[in-house]
Amino acid sequence: MNDNKTIASTLVWATNYLCAVSETPRLDAELLLMYVLGWSRVKVIAEQKATLSTAQVAALRPLIERRAQRESIAYIVGYKEFYGMDFMVNSSVLVPRPETELLVDLAIQHAHRVQQPLHIADIGTGSGCIAVTLAAQLSEVDVYAVDISSDALKVAAKNVARHKVIAKVHLIEGDLVAPLKTPVDMIVSNPPYTILSEIDAGVLEHEPHLALDGGVDGFAVYRQLLADAPSKLGPDGMVLLEIGATQGAEVMALAHAHFPSAQITLHQDLAGHDRVVRIQRNTR
Ligand code: GLN
């Protein structure tokens, strides 16, 4: 590794090491160094001449190695920012993605429009990032956060506690909407929608397949969810589904089949990709 263990030379070394596997090698190196040192990014950038101790170098090296094996920075440092909040993550849950913030925005818009206490179900809650964010952003909500994975729910429970929304978020182990006893006002979900053989190697090797696997064509979970959703949604209810960028037409067709009189719209994320299908049962 580097003999001259300054911040600057360590970052150059780590960046070069990571550039073959990461599109953001310098940022990755800075984030891992921040984690090891317990420093802010501003401090890491400002103190380029500071020297690392042998122990600090020894702590950093395996983390750089893990990143070189395409593991997400989020798993290595144990958290990921989503909607301006920190979420604890481990390999039992999908790492929250920034594009999922669109679904949260649409849910919040709807809640503000209807201006009444809402019961929301987050199906396949994973880390709980959607459920916890909605509970934190909206004053009068009850969020039923469902997941089939008890290990995922353990992570979600930590995030619920961390963000002090225990009174509003109810964690439920079960399959899709099956555990919902009464219809809710809104169903939100970022279900597994990928075709495993088509996804990025780093995602495939490190993230839970249970959260990614949409079956042979990627639509298996949408089929089940959309078949079951009508009986679990109240009269003016809304469904918000995250989708893969090429899945819009097919998911909208499925939505029309199960919600024939609903208003169904497709929404794009900040990168311009189709990302959310919104089903509004009765137009207000
Ligand atoms: N956005 C994730 C990916 O492309 C997939 C998330 C999902 O299946 N819900 O890796």
Side-chain angles (χ1 to χ4, degrees), residues 94 97 99 190-194 199 203 211-213 242 275:
L94 200 72
R97 309 287 206 267
E99 55 268 30
N190 174 15
Y193 58 68
T194 67
I199 60 178
V203 173
L212 290 165
D213 186 2
E242 179 166 321
R275 190 58 62 196

Side-chain angles (χ1 to χ4, degrees), residues 61-141:
R61 191 196 295 251
L63 308 188
I64 298 288
E65 192 48 52
R66 281 170 69 182
R67 182 65 192 125
Q69 301 299 317
R70 298 187 155 83
E71 189 171 345
S72 162
I73 296 283
Y75 289 143
I76 301 173
V77 303
Y79 70 89
K80 174 78 181 179
E81 191 190 306
F82 178 83
Y83 221 89
M85 293 158 76
D86 270 350
F87 286 87
M88 194 213 126
V89 293
N90 64 26
S91 58
S92 297
V93 300
L94 200 72
V95 174
R97 309 287 206 267
E99 55 268 30
T100 302
E101 293 179 354
L102 170 65
L103 187 150
V104 172
D105 279 335
L106 291 168
I108 291 173
Q109 265 173 32
H110 180 65
H112 287 160
R113 203 161 48 231
V114 298
Q115 288 184 329
Q116 63 188 31
L118 289 180
H119 290 94
I120 302 174
D122 175 23
I123 305 303
T125 197
S127 65
C129 64
I130 297 172
V132 169
T133 305
L134 291 178
Q137 297 284 329
L138 298 170
S139 50
E140 288 189 278
V141 286

